[in-house]
Amino acid sequence: MNFPQRLLLSVAFCSAISAAAAGSAAAQTVDVIHWWTSGGESKAIKVFADEYKKRGGTWIDSAVVGGTAARQAAMNRIAGGDAPGAIQWNIGVAVTNLAKEGLLADLDDLAAAGKWQEKLPPLIVKNASYDGHFYAVPTDIHGDNWLWYSTKIFQETGVEPPKSWDEFFPIADKIKAKGYTALGLGGEPWQEALLFRSVLIGAGGKETYRKVYVDHDAAAAGGPEMVKAFETFGKLRPYVDQGSAGRKWNDTTIMVATNKAAMQIMGDWAKGEFAAAGLTPGKEFGCARPPGNQDAYVLTVDVFAFPKLDDPEKTKAQKLLAEVMMDPATQVAFNQFKGALPPRMDADVGTLDICSQEGQKVMSKVENQLPNTALAFSSDVEGQLQDLITQFWTNPEMKPEEAAKQFSEIVANADI
């Protein structure tokens, strides 16, 4: 064989190798729809993307601002025959309904190999599966009910985090007298509903919360404890600033981070915003359980579901991503930015911050685990409850008794 022939053969061989590599990369491509666009969230999702790339995959990032918009975008693509490879969702009734409709690929082989049944909390196993089959990969366990506070304002005012709602109001008065916003709140329905759930636990009691959100007890949803919760909720209005309406949650977190607001009740994803601002828990900001929430952990669990696809190569790519997301070390690295806890109970949380360590102590007790609205009701019912809570918040003329009555009616007629 002469030199030109050898050269042509070498070029052909290299081209074949390149084509095979390109084909392999293409086969490992996943288009991921998610709504993690804030500073801390962006750093967190990058952990998954980078690890997926390390394992030979190609990550197409299809971020959409806002959970509602992202879910709608995913459903539009599925309906249009252009399903993405992976979609972010909050675990609960909505994901179960997608599985019931046959839209999701089951992950049973991965679940069996990884012993998910043993490694995940029972509440998550129940809601990540349907009819005995796993359909969702949990990536984090967020606690809805956290109190974040400015250590500077608390020190200047000489106060400690309130342990009950009765303690909250005199503390808030002292803070307000110093010229600060006592309670930071973003005026969006989901934020107001999140705050209300913490108020319900603290003012109405954990058992009332459980009756409403677990047992769907309409009588409890309209009872005296619910009336008390709405009364307490209404009393918070004077402690929120005038610029609240329509403000995003992370912009409100920055108010605490920059010592403009003393407190914010928000999920532990807020911690990612503090971290992105270069702040350290226990120094520039503090974390505590909201008033009366010391033995309660309201779970919001982010999951990724994988639409059923006809192409077996794309299905392989989906399963590679699922493996990445369920890797315990990757979950820890992800949640260092996300501010949440790894769903895998065998993950080593020793490297996480003091807030996560405290949260783990509360969350690890099954009796303290409470569902958020998405875990308890359908998207339609969740929207009705959010609208009611926003209506009450924005209309001081509305009586707590009327709000509780309407809450009860929604629960009584819920399609779960």
Side-chain angles (χ1 to χ4, degrees), residues 16 25 44 78 80 82 110 167 171-172 195 201 204 206 224 235 253 265 269 297 316 367 370 405:
I78 292 172
D82 180 32
L110 296 179
E167 285 186 13
I171 288 173
L195 173 59
I201 292 168
K206 187 167 72 170
K235 290 179 182 178
T253 302
I265 291 177
W269 49 87
Y297 208 85
K316 287 181 184 178
E367 63 270 22
L370 297 173
K405 179 175 179 292

Side-chain angles (χ1 to χ4, degrees), residues 118-341:
E118 302 171 20
K119 305 300 183 183
L120 298 171
L123 182 63
I124 293 180
V125 170
K126 176 183 176 182
N127 286 279
S129 56
Y130 167 68
D131 198 25
H133 301 284
F134 272 94
Y135 287 99
V137 173
T139 58
D140 53 58
I141 299 176
H142 278 295
D144 273 17
N145 52 334
W146 279 95
L147 175 72
W148 309 100
Y149 63 93
S150 161
T151 53
K152 176 183 181 296
I153 295 176
F154 270 43
Q155 289 167 2
E156 182 180 329
T157 314
V159 298
E160 298 288 336
K163 297 189 182 305
S164 69
W165 286 108
D166 287 339
E167 285 186 13
F168 173 88
F169 294 104
I171 288 173
D173 286 333
K174 287 183 180 179
I175 292 169
K176 193 175 178 181
K178 288 281 188 179
Y180 297 108
T181 295
L183 181 64
L185 175 66
E188 296 178 320
W190 74 268
Q191 294 189 63
E192 291 153 358
L194 181 147
L195 173 59
F196 178 78
R197 290 195 294 273
S198 286
V199 173
L200 175 59
I201 292 168
K206 187 167 72 170
E207 288 313 307
T208 297
Y209 186 99
R210 196 181 297 279
K211 286 179 182 177
V212 174
Y213 285 87
V214 177
D215 301 333
H216 305 127
D217 186 331
E225 291 83 5
M226 184 64 75
V227 173
K228 182 180 179 183
F230 273 108
E231 287 175 346
T232 305
F233 187 57
K235 290 179 182 178
L236 297 177
R237 296 187 191 102
Y239 301 100
V240 173
D241 68 292
Q242 294 295 316
S244 171
R247 187 169 55 219
K248 295 179 180 179
W249 69 268
N250 50 312
D251 291 333
T252 305
T253 302
I254 294 302
M255 290 176 63
V256 179
T258 55
N259 305 307
K260 292 181 174 63
M263 295 176 276
Q264 180 189 22
I265 291 177
M266 181 49 61
D268 50 13
W269 49 87
K271 193 168 28 153
E273 298 308 298
F274 288 114
L279 307 183
T280 304
K283 293 183 179 179
E284 298 89 355
F285 74 97
C287 56
R289 310 307 300 154
N293 284 235
Q294 285 77 13
D295 61 348
Y297 208 85
V298 180
L299 273 64
T300 288
V301 181
D302 287 301
V303 299
F304 279 84
F306 300 87
K308 191 178 290 184
L309 303 175
D310 294 331
D311 187 337
E313 292 302 319
K314 290 183 178 179
T315 299
K316 287 181 184 178
Q318 289 176 317
K319 290 189 175 182
L320 175 62
L321 180 57
E323 286 179 352
V324 167
M325 290 178 166
M326 277 299 287
D327 180 81
T330 305
Q331 284 197 353
V332 170
F334 167 82
N335 282 293
Q336 284 176 331
F337 292 110
K338 195 65 171 64
L341 297 170

Side-chain angles (χ1 to χ4, degrees), residues 336-353:
Q336 284 176 331
F337 292 110
K338 195 65 171 64
L341 297 170
R344 292 188 62 118
M345 302 308 288
D346 58 340
D348 182 4
V349 299
T351 59
L352 299 183
D353 61 73

